[in-house]
Amino acid sequence: MLLVPLLALQLAVPPAAPPRAAAAAAAAPRTIAIDERLAADAHLRVGDRLVVRASPTGLGDTVVVGAIVRRSADPSEVARGEYRVLMHLDQLQSLIGYGDRVDRFAVATAGAAATDRALARINDAAFGFQAYRSRDIAVETSQTFLVVSRFHRAIGVITIVASAVFLLCIMLLKVDERRRDVAALRLMGISSATVLKAIVLEATLVATAGSVLGVGIGVAASALVNAHYRGVYRTPLAFTIVTPDVVAFAVALSLGLGVAAGFFAARRLTRVHPLVLFGR
């Protein structure tokens, strides 16, 4: 189960320390972790000392950068220019004067049964408490992406239909350019069925070569798009992916359309008398 962290900051509760260790820790600056985007923009490194404040005019707290963390591949954070700082819970409460309370918190459970028990206990704790599963939150916050995905699917269907019509027209024109060759073969005694099979076989080979070339172009284009937008948004998120299912569907569609276009073009040509094909 996962709930949204408080104030967009991921918090951690430090373990209890002995009195002497606690005194030493109180004297030494606390450590924080920052994300790689903040580190790059502010030119910060591990070990640098910073002063963090809740407001530009508020009292500050000197801290030490203890770690630089990598941002997660979260689509909801792509367009945000926010920085992320990870602090200890008591440190954050003292800094912002928020007191001993939180708005939201996340709980990690050890399985579905434990999640159900945690949901029941949290929701029954008091009026106003409401716990959700992380997948429920993901579904609610992903409605925009679902709409965009359906929009992309509609564009894909239109593109496939238009490509099929275009491919059929190109195949008809290319086969029609060979009408004299087909007429010569027919006059030599080669049957229409043999000519049709030869043209379909040639169309299959062309479709296979086109499929291999198309997969290569798709993989290269996907890598180029990811490299560009990962650099623009500075995120590890994959904007485009080429999965085996996508490759299998594309190859099957290409072969099917290529063979079908070759068949219909060849059948149209072989039904005409050879002398007509010669223009006599």
Side-chain angles (χ1 to χ4, degrees), residues 171-183:
M171 188 64 72
L172 290 174
L173 292 176
K174 289 297 181 183
V175 173
D176 192 70
E177 290 177 355
R178 303 175 61 182
R179 56 193 303 137
R180 288 183 172 273
D181 299 335
V182 173

Side-chain angles (χ1 to χ4, degrees), residues 207-259:
T208 303
S211 300
V212 174
L213 181 62
V215 171
I217 294 176
V219 172
S222 177
L224 183 63
V225 169
N226 284 330
H228 174 71
Y229 285 105
R230 282 173 175 170
V232 171
Y233 294 107
R234 291 183 291 181
T235 174
L237 183 68
F239 290 84
T240 64
I241 55 175
V242 180
T243 64
D245 294 340
V246 171
V247 173
F249 177 75
V251 171
L253 186 64
S254 174
L255 290 177
L257 290 177
V259 172

